[in-house]
Amino acid sequence: MHATDPRPHVVIVGGGFAGLTAARTLATADVRITLIDRTNHHLFQPLLYQVAMAVLNPADITVPIRWMLRDQPNATVIMAEVDRIDVPQHTLTLDGGSSIVAWDYLIVASGARHAYFGHPEWEGNAPGLKSIEDALEMRRRFLLSFEAAERSSAAGQREALLTFVIVGGGPTGVELAGMIPEITRKAMKHDFRRIDPASARVVLLEAGPRLLPQFPEALSARAERDLRELGVDVRTNTAVTSVDDAGVTVASGERIFAHTVFWGAGNQASPLGKQLGAPLDRVGRVVVSPDLSLPNDPHVFAIGDIASVLTDAGTPVPAVAPAANQMGAHAAKAILHDLRGTSRTAFAYFNKGDLATIGRHRAVASIGAVKLQGNIAWLAWLFIHILYLAGFRNRITVFVQWAFQYITYQRGVRLITGTTAHRLLNTSRDRELARAEAGSMPPKL
Amino acid sequence: MHATDPRPHVVIVGGGFAGLTAARTLATADVRITLIDRTNHHLFQPLLYQVAMAVLNPADITVPIRWMLRDQPNATVIMAEVDRIDVPQHTLTLDGGSSIVAWDYLIVASGARHAYFGHPEWEGNAPGLKSIEDALEMRRRFLLSFEAAERSSAAGQREALLTFVIVGGGPTGVELAGMIPEITRKAMKHDFRRIDPASARVVLLEAGPRLLPQFPEALSARAERDLRELGVDVRTNTAVTSVDDAGVTVASGERIFAHTVFWGAGNQASPLGKQLGAPLDRVGRVVVSPDLSLPNDPHVFAIGDIASVLTDAGTPVPAVAPAANQMGAHAAKAILHDLRGTSRTAFAYFNKGDLATIGRHRAVASIGAVKLQGNIAWLAWLFIHILYLAGFRNRITVFVQWAFQYITYQRGVRLITGTTAHRLLNTSRDRELARAEAGSMPPKL
């Protein structure tokens, strides 16, 4: 189709922060770009937990990738699944071999999924949070728990339905845990007749000694204190040893009965990394050269959450949006250097800081030497996120809509799509409890 | 559980317009109300097609039922599926017998689904539009067609991917058909490189002699003219004789190849109607007494789209929101009459008028003797819908949000969730076309 197009073909796999920034950095370059993503949208992942907690609409934090590149004529967007990458041949195949794409440069930015430490069977009972589908599944389970509890006539069952266990004390876990009490105590306040949503129990489990391990210790302590004030049962040094449909078991042997378990621990790089012929680190990330290209092929780059890169201090570059953006720009600039005949440079990560919110008016922030907490950190968080969101959407639209969604969240986006609540009322423990009740009859409402 | 509550128990099945209005009409009555719905939300169905066409968010037109009744202490909301109604025993069972509900009064308002005229096998290839799930499936197919077309390298396949067939010339069909050209010509204008979305073909098929048969003839003609001006291929007197994954066949034998077919023809009442022991009409609706109760039990009512009721003129009361609201209020008032010892009255339908939009700045409206068309009818439509929506949501929120969504729909809610585009590229006709090409190789992008 493009046999006659003399421009180098840059193929980018993944339309997240890394891939999209790479495409945009090449906007005026004399190349043709094909960006391939399995979804049609770029996702503003830092706010994904707000979709999971029924505060924001999925469309509030997603934008069609092709819409973002609409004014960039050198870029074509293809929605497809990449299933095989052949580095020596410089080709990849889409959707079970239905088409083949040849490249001059390849940028792999296909991200990561959550990982279950060798227990993939836990996923069904403890969904993680990486995609919009993940967030909608979390939202569904979160909201269904209250619906099922309102119907339940057994106290033990009701208690398990109103227990939410979150595994992992990183930013995702902390943000999820901090949001639940706000919703149960405020947004749901008057809506139920038989249960009090405010009685919901939130348990945050972290295997390590403190929450938010990438933050300074003082901020970890503050986050823990803030969460406790919101009523969250925070347990550090508490590893999960099993997850099933009735709840979780922790290393001490304690069983926590909960119909709803959310997973915020551990990442596993996209399996495409395995096909690149380069060494991988422990979690499957591609160990790249200083310019972010493969040791075995300078025309192929791995960037974003799929890449294993060290900071100047020798610590891993974190899996956050600013790092992905920086790597995307760097890989694109390496290609520009090649086109101009100048030398590529080594990637250097610039840490813009770390931020995590706790509920609606508290946050912790570590920006260079500055450490913020409480309301001022929350305002900083709000400001930065509005600024970022505005970068890819109409500035006024996003501000008004988001402010509205956020301020008026009394109603929120409490929409359940999919199946009914019935499954939640029929776990292994429910059957056990039912057997324990002699001659049990169907409850009368 | 409520063995000691002396108030009569009014059980309402369905939280649509009819059921919700019945519950609200009983707000101050000395009864206890249990409203049961299989979903957690009330749906503003008149705008459902805008969700299907990626203009509005699902949450923009849904509200949790329990939130709408939060200030009505005599009402409890249960999310469950009703699977058996026993009229003589005055009980119903939920979710496969998991619980039993006894009533003093029962109001059945479980609505209707679309019907396929004895061809349920068509549904997989021609989804209809009654629920949020339906709308999301339509949105997914609509958006995926363009994604798949952008990837396709076969002209015949591309053409079928960009052909949208809509079956049924009632308000739903007319509104869907009128919206597509607006989106393909404006919202998607700059987004594709290999296809021109404006070249999409929209075919509207109506078995009867004219569109919008419930409207005056002059307005039907105007709607047809407006649609033709938008480029829609309107075909009246054209019955569909089969639907498969490659498109539709019409009575003349003509085959229209289309990857996307939407169904806007025919209703079938909820199957719960069959369990009431009352006579049913041709489409399964319950033929009720003049007070909307069952001929066989005055303590059971059937209202909304599940009820077969005639107007004073002897024509069927249409399946529209105002009719459902009026029936809901009437059934509730019949119960109030019983409680006060006064006589029930007969239901009389008051026709507030008919409205249908064509694209974004045209509509037809028939309100009493007044007939409107063009832009003025569209403004009337806008005003009435904002007013209605405002009735169940914060007045300012809805106005600002909706206006924003509507005015800035350049980007819209073009979010695909679920599977990838691959299925759309592998229909029976694609395989046929592929076999026709001798020695075909996977296309190179």
Side-chain angles (χ1 to χ4, degrees):
Chain A
M1 190 163 194
H2 291 280
T4 56
D5 191 327
R7 296 175 297 174
H9 189 199
V10 179
V11 173
I12 301 172
V13 178
F17 287 107
L20 195 65
T21 302
R24 287 178 148 188
T25 307
L26 295 168
T28 58
D30 193 25
V31 296
R32 69 182 175 96
I33 301 165
T34 302
L35 191 155
I36 305 168
D37 197 289
R38 71 211 295 183
T39 77
N40 78 325
H41 52 270
H42 174 70
L43 171 64
F44 192 77
Q45 223 165 13
L47 289 177
L48 195 54
Y49 78 100
Q50 296 209 0
V51 173
M53 294 290 102
V55 174
L56 291 179
N57 281 300
D60 294 336
I61 62 161
T62 55
V63 191
I65 296 168
R66 57 176 72 263
W67 186 86
M68 297 200 68
L69 296 173
R70 69 195 179 285
D71 298 326
Q72 190 173 327
N74 71 351
T76 301
V77 176
I78 294 291
M79 178 177 167
E81 181 100 31
V82 171
D83 41 31
R84 203 154 45 78
I85 297 180
D86 188 332
V87 170
Q89 291 289 325
H90 274 204
T91 56
L92 54 82
T93 54
L94 304 181
D95 291 336
S98 69
S99 32
I100 295 173
V101 182
W103 73 74
D104 297 301
Y105 284 96
L106 176 68
I107 300 177
V108 182
S110 45
R113 288 286 296 167
H114 32 275
Y116 290 84
F117 307 128
H119 290 280
E121 73 277 11
W122 293 355
E123 180 157 23
N125 291 308
L129 189 61
K130 287 284 179 193
S131 68
I132 281 287
E133 280 83 1
D134 294 341
L136 291 176
E137 177 61 20
M138 267 198 192
R139 184 178 82 180
R140 202 178 70 82
R141 293 188 188 209
F142 176 61
L143 297 175
L144 274 179
S145 300
F146 296 93
E147 295 295 335
E150 177 83 342
R151 278 190 55 187
S152 172
S153 45
Q157 188 181 53
R158 243 182 352 249
E159 207 175 292
L161 282 163
L162 295 178
T163 300
F164 300 89
V165 172
I166 296 157
V167 183
T172 299
V174 166
E175 287 173 334
L176 284 171
M179 192 57 91
I180 295 176
E182 303 276 2
I183 291 169
T184 56
R185 292 181 194 172
K186 288 177 192 148
M188 293 182 175
K189 198 168 180 181
H190 302 290
D191 292 9
F192 295 85
R193 300 289 176 262
R194 300 166 179 193
I195 59 164
D196 176 8
S199 70
R201 183 176 161 221
V202 182
V203 186
L204 178 61
L205 304 176
E206 164 61 38
R210 61 183 175 105
L211 301 180
L212 302 174
Q214 76 274 42
F215 282 64
E217 284 197 31
L219 292 182
S220 293
R222 173 63 186 243
E224 185 169 335
R225 201 191 87 194
D226 283 350
L227 284 171
R228 286 193 195 284
E229 276 178 22
L230 287 169
V232 175
D233 180 358
V234 180
R235 306 205 194 166
T236 49
N237 295 309
T238 305
V240 168
T241 54
S242 87
V243 181
D244 56 47
D245 72 349
V248 303
T249 308
V250 297
S252 68
E254 188 194 348
R255 199 96 171 88
I256 304 173
F257 291 114
H259 281 248
T260 311
V261 181
F262 295 140
W263 192 260
N267 271 347
Q268 181 73 34
S270 152
L272 287 181
K274 288 195 197 106
Q275 304 191 24
L276 301 181
L280 303 180
D281 74 4
R282 193 179 45 87
V283 295
R285 291 178 306 188
V286 181
V287 180
V288 290
S289 301
D291 64 359
L292 305 181
S293 70
L294 299 188
N296 49 319
D297 189 334
H299 286 77
V300 179
F301 299 84
I303 59 173
D305 291 358
I306 202 179
S308 176
V309 183
L310 296 182
T311 66
D312 293 343
T315 56
V317 171
V320 295
N325 283 331
Q326 291 173 32
M327 289 192 226
H330 190 87
K333 282 179 193 155
I335 294 172
L336 294 174
H337 276 299
D338 286 8
L339 298 179
R340 290 188 206 117
T342 52
S343 296
R344 295 182 182 186
T345 60
F347 175 74
Y349 173 60
F350 174 67
N351 183 1
K352 292 188 171 180
D354 291 304
L355 263 168
T357 41
I358 299 125
R360 268 162 57 89
H361 292 287
R362 288 182 252 220
V364 290
S366 163
I367 304 165
V370 181
K371 296 183 191 5
L372 302 174
Q373 54 196 27
N375 206 40
I376 182 81
W378 186 79
L379 287 172
W381 174 89
L382 195 67
F383 178 76
I384 288 169
H385 283 79
I386 286 176
L387 214 69
Y388 263 92
L389 266 178
F392 68 82
R393 287 185 63 175
N394 177 301
R395 206 168 282 263
I396 295 170
T397 311
V398 77
F399 182 79
V400 172
Q401 278 201 347
W402 201 54
F404 252 97
Q405 292 282 2
Y406 212 73
I407 294 163
T408 65
Y409 87 138
Q410 282 298 103
R411 196 188 52 87
V413 187
R414 283 169 31 211
L415 171 65
I416 300 175
T417 53
T419 63
T420 69
H422 191 227
R423 192 197 66 83
L424 279 174
L425 288 168
N426 191 25
T427 66
S428 55
R429 180 156 180 265
D430 294 329
R431 291 189 293 274
E432 212 172 276
L433 288 173
R435 275 193 300 274
E437 283 180 46
S440 64
M441 291 282 289
K444 266 208 168 188
L445 289 176
Chain B
M1 192 163 194
H2 292 280
T4 56
D5 192 327
R7 296 176 297 174
H9 188 200
V10 179
V11 173
I12 301 172
V13 178
F17 287 107
L20 196 64
T21 302
R24 287 176 151 192
T25 307
L26 294 169
T28 57
D30 193 25
V31 297
R32 69 183 174 95
I33 301 166
T34 302
L35 192 155
I36 306 168
D37 197 290
R38 71 210 295 183
T39 76
N40 78 325
H41 52 271
H42 173 71
L43 172 64
F44 191 77
Q45 224 167 12
L47 289 176
L48 195 55
Y49 77 99
Q50 297 210 1
V51 173
M53 294 290 102
V55 174
L56 291 179
N57 282 298
D60 293 336
I61 61 162
T62 53
V63 191
I65 297 168
R66 59 175 71 264
W67 186 84
M68 297 199 68
L69 296 173
R70 68 195 180 286
D71 298 326
Q72 188 173 328
N74 70 351
T76 301
V77 177
I78 294 292
M79 179 177 166
E81 183 102 32
V82 172
D83 41 32
R84 203 154 45 77
I85 297 181
D86 188 332
V87 170
Q89 291 291 322
H90 275 204
T91 58
L92 53 81
T93 54
L94 303 180
D95 292 337
S98 70
S99 31
I100 294 173
V101 182
W103 73 74
D104 297 301
Y105 285 96
L106 175 68
I107 299 177
V108 182
S110 47
R113 288 287 297 168
H114 33 276
Y116 291 85
F117 307 127
H119 290 281
E121 72 278 12
W122 293 356
E123 179 156 23
N125 291 308
L129 189 61
K130 287 283 179 194
S131 68
I132 280 288
E133 281 83 2
D134 293 340
L136 291 175
E137 177 61 20
M138 267 199 192
R139 183 177 84 179
R140 203 179 70 82
R141 293 189 187 208
F142 176 62
L143 298 174
L144 274 178
S145 299
F146 296 93
E147 295 296 333
E150 178 83 342
R151 278 189 55 187
S152 171
S153 45
Q157 188 181 53
R158 240 180 356 248
E159 207 176 291
L161 283 163
L162 294 178
T163 300
F164 299 89
V165 172
I166 295 156
V167 183
T172 299
V174 165
E175 287 173 334
L176 285 171
M179 192 56 93
I180 295 177
E182 303 276 359
I183 291 169
T184 56
R185 292 180 194 172
K186 290 178 190 147
M188 293 183 174
K189 196 168 180 180
H190 302 291
D191 292 9
F192 294 85
R193 299 289 175 263
R194 300 166 178 191
I195 59 163
D196 176 9
S199 71
R201 184 176 161 221
V202 182
V203 186
L204 178 61
L205 304 177
E206 164 59 39
R210 62 184 176 104
L211 301 179
L212 303 173
Q214 75 275 43
F215 282 66
E217 284 198 28
L219 292 182
S220 292
R222 173 63 186 245
E224 185 170 335
R225 202 190 86 192
D226 283 350
L227 284 171
R228 286 193 195 284
E229 277 177 21
L230 286 170
V232 175
D233 181 356
V234 180
R235 306 204 195 168
T236 49
N237 294 309
T238 305
V240 168
T241 55
S242 87
V243 181
D244 55 46
D245 71 348
V248 303
T249 308
V250 297
S252 68
E254 188 193 350
R255 198 97 171 87
I256 304 172
F257 292 113
H259 281 248
T260 312
V261 180
F262 294 140
W263 193 260
N267 271 347
Q268 181 73 35
S270 151
L272 287 182
K274 288 194 197 105
Q275 303 190 26
L276 300 182
L280 305 180
D281 73 3
R282 193 178 47 84
V283 295
R285 291 178 305 188
V286 180
V287 180
V288 290
S289 301
D291 64 359
L292 304 180
S293 71
L294 299 190
N296 49 319
D297 190 333
H299 286 78
V300 179
F301 299 84
I303 60 172
D305 292 359
I306 202 178
S308 177
V309 183
L310 297 182
T311 65
D312 293 343
T315 57
V317 171
V320 295
N325 283 331
Q326 291 172 31
M327 289 192 228
H330 189 87
K333 282 178 193 156
I335 295 172
L336 294 175
H337 276 299
D338 286 7
L339 298 179
R340 291 190 205 114
T342 52
S343 294
R344 296 184 181 185
T345 60
F347 175 72
Y349 173 59
F350 174 67
N351 183 3
K352 292 188 171 179
D354 291 306
L355 265 167
T357 40
I358 299 125
R360 267 161 59 87
H361 293 288
R362 288 182 254 219
V364 289
S366 164
I367 304 165
V370 180
K371 299 185 187 1
L372 301 174
Q373 53 195 28
N375 205 42
I376 181 82
W378 186 78
L379 288 173
W381 173 88
L382 195 67
F383 179 75
I384 287 168
H385 283 79
I386 286 177
L387 213 68
Y388 264 93
L389 267 178
F392 68 80
R393 286 185 62 174
N394 178 300
R395 206 168 282 262
I396 294 171
T397 311
V398 78
F399 183 80
V400 172
Q401 279 202 346
W402 200 55
F404 252 98
Q405 292 282 1
Y406 210 74
I407 294 162
T408 66
Y409 87 140
Q410 281 301 103
R411 194 187 55 86
V413 186
R414 285 172 26 215
L415 171 64
I416 300 174
T417 52
T419 64
T420 70
H422 190 228
R423 191 199 66 85
L424 278 175
L425 288 169
N426 192 25
T427 67
S428 56
R429 179 155 182 265
D430 294 330
R431 291 190 292 274
E432 212 173 275
L433 288 172
R435 276 193 301 273
E437 284 180 46
S440 65
M441 291 282 290
K444 266 208 166 186
L445 291 177

